[in-house]
């Protein structure tokens, strides 16, 4: 487990992300595709922000819903539950879905697992998220507002603060498989 903590400097971020952009949907037969698994424990601070998933920026923006060509889970300031998130080439092309109380972003000691998967050259991205503590699980497929098919994305699990206090994220595992 890797525990990452921000300093008490406003808009400070901490966590893990890959310097290499490893995953892409693919823009031709047999190109692209990925399977991503990230397991983490949330910070319980109501003022922290989180991004867990794939992000074209490498290091995600401090405002998680402003990450273009990205897909995953976010927590914005004031969110009590995690949100499924996908965004295409502009912030006008985004979708955010509340996962409900079974996926509380303030649940102390809870471990969540996010899996994102995409066949090579696919027009959809599948997801599943589960809580190891409660057994709650949600799965489905994103079909709109997807990252552009020729954009490479990095794995990211980042927390940030929006006031002058520290935010913490415990990253349990961080994996990406690509067939290309």
């Amino acid at each position: 487990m890797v525990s990452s903590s921000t300093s008490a400097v406003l808009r400070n971020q901490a966590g893990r992300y890959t310097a290499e952009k490893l995953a892409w949907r693919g823009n031709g037969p047999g190109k692209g595709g990925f399977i991503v698994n990230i397991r983490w424990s949330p910070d319980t601070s109501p003022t922290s922000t989180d991004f867990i998933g794939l992000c074209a920026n490498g290091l995600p923006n401090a405002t998680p819903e402003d990450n273009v060509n990205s897909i995953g889970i976010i927590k914005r300031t004031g969110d009590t539950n995690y949100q499924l998130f996908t965004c295409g080439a502009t912030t006008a092309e985004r979708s955010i879905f509340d996962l409900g109380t079974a996926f509380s972003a303030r649940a102390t000691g809870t471990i969540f697992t996010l899996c994102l998967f995409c066949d090579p050259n696919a027009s959809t991205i599948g997801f599943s998220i589960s809580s190891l503590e409660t057994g709650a699980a949600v799965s489905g497929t994103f079909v709109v507002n997807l990252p552009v098919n020729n954009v490479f994305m990095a794995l990211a699990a980042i927390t940030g603060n929006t006031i002058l206090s520290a935010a913490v994220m415990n990253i349990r595992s961080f994996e990406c498989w690509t067939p290309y």
Side-chain angles (χ1 to χ4, degrees):
M1 178 180 76
V2 175
S3 183
S4 297
S5 179
T6 70
S7 68
V9 175
L10 185 64
R11 295 271 184 221
N12 189 245
Q13 293 179 282
R16 296 289 181 264
Y17 66 97
T18 56
E20 300 87 23
K21 295 180 179 180
L22 304 171
W24 64 310
R25 287 180 36 218
N27 62 351
K31 293 182 179 181
F34 55 84
I35 300 172
V36 169
N37 280 303
I38 302 174
R39 185 171 283 175
W40 79 99
S41 299
D43 179 14
T44 58
S45 168
T47 59
S48 68
T49 60
D50 294 343
F51 178 92
I52 299 103
L54 291 169
C55 182
N57 296 343
L59 179 63
N61 295 327
T63 307
E65 67 271 22
D66 288 344
N67 291 297
V68 297
N69 286 312
S70 299
I71 188 165
I73 300 290
I74 63 171
K75 182 183 94 167
R76 300 164 292 183
T77 301
D79 283 346
T80 56
N81 305 320
Y82 277 110
Q83 318 286 313
L84 280 170
F85 169 78
T86 184
C87 187
T90 71
T91 56
E93 302 170 16
R94 66 177 165 208
S95 300
I96 301 173
F97 307 97
D98 191 319
L99 287 165
T101 58
F103 298 96
S104 172
R106 298 182 188 160
T108 304
T110 299
I111 298 172
F112 294 111
T113 302
L114 171 66
C115 180
L116 298 170
F117 44 94
C118 179
D119 289 330
N121 196 34
S123 59
T124 63
I125 298 175
F127 67 87
S128 68
I129 179 171
S130 60
S131 166
L132 296 183
E133 181 181 41
T134 67
V138 174
S139 62
T141 305
F142 288 110
V143 296
V144 296
N145 298 331
L146 298 176
V148 177
N149 65 349
N150 64 352
V151 171
F152 282 79
M153 298 170 285
L155 273 78
I158 302 292
T159 190
N161 60 13
T162 57
I163 63 168
L164 300 178
S165 66
V168 178
M169 178 182 288
N170 296 309
I171 302 162
R172 310 286 177 155
S173 65
F174 200 63
E175 305 164 313
C176 179
W177 296 275
T178 58
Y180 66 91

